[in-house]
Amino acid sequence: MTDADSRRDCANAIRVLSMDAVQKAKSGHPGAPMGMADIAEVLWRDFLSHNPGNPDWFNRDRFVLSNGHGSMLIYSLLHLSGYALPMSELENFRQLHSATPGHPEYGDTPGVETTTGPLGQGLANAVGMAVAEKTLAAQFNRDGHEVIDHYTYVFAGDGCLMEGISHEVCSLAGTLKLGKLIVLYDDNGISIDGEVAEWFSDDTAKRFESYGWQVLAADGHDSAAIAAAIAAAQGEPDKPTLISCKTVIGFGSPNKGGTAATHGAPLGEDEVAAVREELGWPHAPFVVPEEIRAAWDATEKGFAAESAWKEKLVAYEEEYPELAMELVRRIKGELPGEFSAKAEAYIQQCQETEDNIASRKASQNCIEVFGALLPELIGGSADLTGSNLTTWSGSTPVTRDAGGNYIYYGVREFGMTAMASGIALHGGFIPYTATFLIFMEYARNAARMAALMKQHSILVYTHDSIGQGEDGPTHQPIEQLTALRATPNMSVWRPCDNVESAVAWKAALERNTGPTALVFSRQGIPHQSRDAEQLANISRGAYVLKDCDGTPDVIVIATGSEVQICVEAVGRLQSEGVAARLVSMPSADVFEAQDQDYRDAVLPPSVRNRVAVEAAAVDYWHKWVGMDGQIIGMRSFGASAPGGVLMEHFGFTADAVVAAAKG
């Protein structure tokens, strides 16, 4: 058998496994896997450095299938290469609890680096991974010791490049000279609606050249041309590379190949049989001959690659023991042992200093302290650094030439948030990003994906209400807090002062099972006095900030800047003989996770007279006040005026709270 024959058979194994799995499931996308099989065969067998025996080997090359609808491509690759993905899972494609879901899901399948499917976001994750690799290498590599040294490869289709997020992240990737980012573009000219020339006529090569990328082209069915292009991409250290690969979608399908009919539907039994004849593949469904399996098996090669890296790490440790220890800690995702105690000491200090400041400034003070403790913190803002207050004295920019710990993302909220997920997925960093709360709308799906993948990223949102004032309703968030709180696995904090801000930051840094949204004010807010028990209970999400004797007649619940209004209102109620309690609830989801006894102690079920006060949409608060309670919140968009004027205009006053409590 010639090398060309072997390569053809290896690629055809992907094609047939993909079409058979889709046919058995009666749903899926066979076209992309069949069209990209030759590209995948060259990349995975000749270039990709990975270890099927240890999918989490840190210095592996990252592979991202951004066109995630073609998921059977990566499942076939993982199975054939020797990952713990047996044929039974391929036969169980798209079924409940299988390791082969309809789109690749991070955590479900060994070897899947990120959840893909929402087009363009896998590419954005990959840009984040490439930033992480380059920055970590700059921080830890030393002459003769390149312990961080790997590529990030991406498969992407027309849909990925049409999505606006691709423009955001690919522009920044060129600016940052991410030379180890290599994108193989499946240029097949077909999407769900048909031939894309009718709606996608960009000169893609010129577009990427204008970003500062190296642009190459190859016949996507010519193994030698593909290999030459990848080698050329690896030879360009200062530019990311786009390899435009001309392919035929559904390659091997004699009657449907090259058409949208192969994109998102099974081929049908007759066409499946025709493909077998066309490709000369006589084997039954889900049967791969042993000689083809042997040609694909990467377990020995992968074990050798990881073993060689471990030897490098040992030599590095001998010469740079402290750096090696720090690198291993960061790879493991462990915070320094002293972090928690030092953070608690800072929280106590905040309580004692009694700063009356905007919570965005309190947030910056936290970054100043915690940044010095955590070299893995890597921050950034979408062109609002001076407003979000996200730099600190130790901030150095991530640039095209060196490492750093702060990314100037430009006006790219969506791309920024998806890149942060890629940085977190890569490992070695805790990313935080920042924009105005209203502009989380641009990034909403990337924030959702971070929650879906349980990634440790911190989303800093400032200018959190109508209190930001004159910029008007386009810039004043109303429904955004509700959207964040409604997102599964998204933790949300809206602190009322400098102390709650410090507790929120500590919680976000310690929570490694999902993203945390930290929501801060533009305007100044006063410090609240607390005793030791109240201080300790902030971390439980909600606590009694101002109490009465005995069982309360009414409970007022508030967050953020509205807490101070309620402090005044509850004081007045108590002076009039009303047994009123004030509960500060900076994080409802954290409070909900507490034991029932604590929740009942803060919000006794017997007390149905409740008032919630928050300068945001009202609907969320019904779960806390019930049908008997009242909500002082926003039922419309805002307006353009000074913040204080707006707060009074929309009813966020102590008088309004007193009236609601009495009502």
Side-chain angles (χ1 to χ4, degrees):
M1 180 184 291
T2 66
D3 180 63
D5 290 335
S6 176
R7 287 189 180 279
R8 182 199 64 207
D9 287 345
C10 285
N12 285 345
I14 295 172
R15 294 186 170 102
V16 177
L17 283 173
S18 298
M19 75 171 184
D20 283 344
V22 171
Q23 190 64 35
K24 186 174 187 292
K26 295 183 173 57
S27 75
H29 300 73
M34 295 173 74
M36 297 193 78
D38 295 307
I39 306 167
E41 184 272 327
V42 172
L43 176 63
W44 276 64
R45 291 183 64 223
D46 295 353
F47 291 93
L48 194 73
S49 180
H50 63 118
N51 182 9
N54 181 14
D56 298 324
W57 167 39
F58 193 75
N59 201 46
R60 68 192 181 278
D61 290 338
R62 272 44 170 194
F63 173 76
V64 174
L65 184 70
S66 188
N67 45 347
H69 54 270
S71 57
M72 269 309 304
L73 175 62
I74 193 169
Y75 299 149
S76 299
L77 288 165
L78 294 168
H79 169 75
L80 292 167
S81 296
Y83 285 78
L85 190 68
M87 185 67 82
S88 59
E89 292 291 353
L90 274 62
E91 295 184 65
N92 208 26
F93 178 54
R94 286 187 161 225
Q95 304 309 303
L96 183 64
H97 303 315
S98 78
T100 51
H103 291 81
E105 300 281 357
Y106 177 77
D108 284 1
T109 314
V112 168
E113 300 283 4
T114 180
T115 297
T116 56
L119 293 176
Q121 284 199 67
L123 175 56
N125 295 159
V127 173
M129 292 174 187
V131 167
E133 188 278 338
K134 182 173 182 177
T135 306
L136 204 63
Q139 292 178 0
F140 283 96
N141 288 355
R142 297 295 183 267
D143 288 344
H145 295 277
E146 293 191 341
V147 290
I148 304 298
D149 180 18
H150 56 264
Y151 290 91
T152 301
Y153 296 99
V154 185
F155 279 7
D158 290 303
C160 294
L161 299 192
M162 280 189 264
E163 287 286 359
I165 193 172
S166 73
H167 296 260
E168 295 183 25
V169 299
C170 292
S171 169
L172 188 56
T175 299
L176 295 177
K177 294 187 175 181
L178 301 178
K180 289 185 177 176
L181 174 65
I182 300 173
V183 177
L184 295 109
Y185 163 39
D186 183 23
D187 184 11
N188 61 35
I190 298 292
S191 67
I192 293 174
D193 282 350
E195 297 182 8
V196 301
E198 295 298 316
W199 50 85
F200 184 46
S201 59
D202 303 16
D203 188 327
T204 299
K206 288 183 179 177
R207 169 188 159 190
F208 275 79
E209 286 171 356
S210 75
Y211 291 155
W213 287 52
Q214 174 182 228
V215 178
L216 305 172
D219 180 340
H221 303 298
D222 183 333
S223 300
I226 297 164
I230 296 173
Q234 290 183 341
E236 173 51 81
D238 294 325
K239 293 181 179 180
T241 297
L242 178 77
I243 304 174
S244 181
C245 300
K246 274 291 181 184
T247 64
V248 176
I249 190 172
F251 182 93
S253 175
N255 301 303
K256 297 184 177 182
T259 73
T262 69
H263 183 281
L267 298 180
E269 296 294 347
D270 291 343
E271 190 66 10
V272 164
V275 170
R276 278 186 155 76
E277 185 174 349
E278 180 79 11
L279 297 179
W281 187 272
H283 315 291
F286 304 106
V287 173
V288 178
E290 286 305 315
E291 62 270 20
I292 296 177
R293 287 191 172 280
W296 266 110
D297 190 359
T299 52
E300 289 187 12
K301 183 179 178 182
F303 178 80
E306 182 175 358
S307 297
W309 179 74
K310 286 180 176 178
E311 291 178 5
K312 284 186 176 181
L313 199 59
V314 168
Y316 179 72
E317 186 178 10
E318 290 175 353
E319 191 161 349
Y320 302 100
E322 292 184 3
L323 274 176
M325 188 180 302
E326 177 69 4
L327 176 61
V328 169
R329 178 188 71 78
R330 287 173 58 173
I331 288 173
K332 290 180 177 179
E334 298 174 350
L335 296 178
E338 72 278 8
F339 172 76
S340 183
K342 289 186 176 181
E344 286 295 336
Y346 176 66
I347 292 167
Q348 181 64 47
Q349 178 185 331
C350 289
Q351 185 61 51
E352 294 169 357
T353 52
E354 301 184 8
D355 283 338
N356 299 320
I357 54 178
S359 56
R360 62 170 173 160
K361 179 60 180 175
S363 168
Q364 185 177 44
N365 293 344
C366 293
I367 298 171
E368 181 71 35
V369 172
F370 298 148
L373 300 174
L374 302 173
E376 57 264 49
L377 264 187
I378 183 167
S381 169
D383 200 48
L384 289 169
T385 295
S387 295
N388 298 145
L389 302 183
T390 41
T391 53
W392 60 289
S393 62
S395 292
T396 56
V398 171
T399 67
R400 62 191 68 190
D401 301 316
N405 60 9
Y406 195 82
I407 303 171
Y408 290 94
Y409 282 101
V411 187
R412 300 181 176 101
E413 294 89 355
F414 192 9
M416 169 184 72
T417 308
M419 282 177 61
S421 286
I423 293 170
L425 285 158
H426 179 278
F429 292 102
I430 300 174
Y432 66 93
T433 56
T435 186
F436 290 172
L437 177 58
I438 190 66
F439 298 139
M440 65 77 65
E441 294 293 345
Y442 285 123
R444 186 194 291 258
N445 197 255
R448 180 181 188 270
M449 294 297 287
L452 179 65
M453 292 190 286
K454 302 178 181 178
Q455 287 309 292
H456 191 185
S457 58
I458 300 172
L459 312 174
V460 175
Y461 297 123
T462 69
H463 296 59
D464 67 348
S465 74
I466 57 169
Q468 85 158 52
E470 292 86 348
D471 282 342
T474 62
H475 282 53
Q476 291 164 3
I478 303 297
E479 71 276 25
Q480 286 65 40
L481 275 167
T482 299
L484 287 167
R485 288 170 176 150
T487 303
N489 199 41
M490 175 72 72
S491 188
V492 183
W493 287 78
R494 185 175 184 244
C496 78
D497 69 353
N498 61 324
V499 180
E500 288 189 358
S501 297
V503 173
W505 258 105
K506 179 177 182 287
L509 290 164
E510 292 181 335
R511 181 177 189 257
N512 59 9
T513 55
T516 301
L518 302 179
V519 181
F520 299 116
S521 72
R522 173 197 182 189
Q523 72 273 28
I525 47 182
H527 170 89
Q528 301 297 330
S529 60
R530 301 173 181 86
D531 61 27
E533 182 179 3
Q534 290 171 317
L535 185 62
N537 284 338
I538 296 173
S539 64
R540 305 187 77 168
Y543 62 102
V544 178
L545 180 61
K546 190 176 181 64
D547 209 1
C548 57
D549 294 329
T551 302
D553 298 323
V554 63
I555 299 174
V556 178
I557 310 167
T559 78
S561 53
E562 291 75 75
V563 167
Q564 176 57 27
I565 297 167
C566 296
V567 167
E568 181 183 344
V570 167
R572 283 170 50 184
L573 287 166
Q574 290 178 351
S575 70
E576 296 174 16
V578 178
R581 169 182 289 182
L582 172 59
V583 171
S584 177
M585 188 180 284
S587 180
D589 61 275
V590 172
F591 179 63
E592 285 186 278
Q594 303 304 307
D595 62 84
Q596 188 68 50
D597 287 346
Y598 179 76
R599 297 200 306 271
D600 289 349
V602 175
L603 296 175
S606 61
V607 182
R608 297 170 64 88
N609 299 324
R610 301 181 184 185
V611 179
V613 185
E614 185 176 66
V618 300
D619 286 352
Y620 171 80
W621 287 99
H622 286 293
K623 69 184 292 182
W624 296 108
V625 302
M627 299 306 295
D628 298 334
Q630 293 203 41
I631 304 166
I632 298 175
M634 293 297 295
R635 293 172 170 82
S636 69
F637 294 112
S640 179
V645 172
L646 290 175
M647 294 298 273
E648 183 171 355
H649 173 74
F650 284 103
F652 297 99
T653 65
D655 287 343
V657 176
V658 168
K662 289 182 176 180

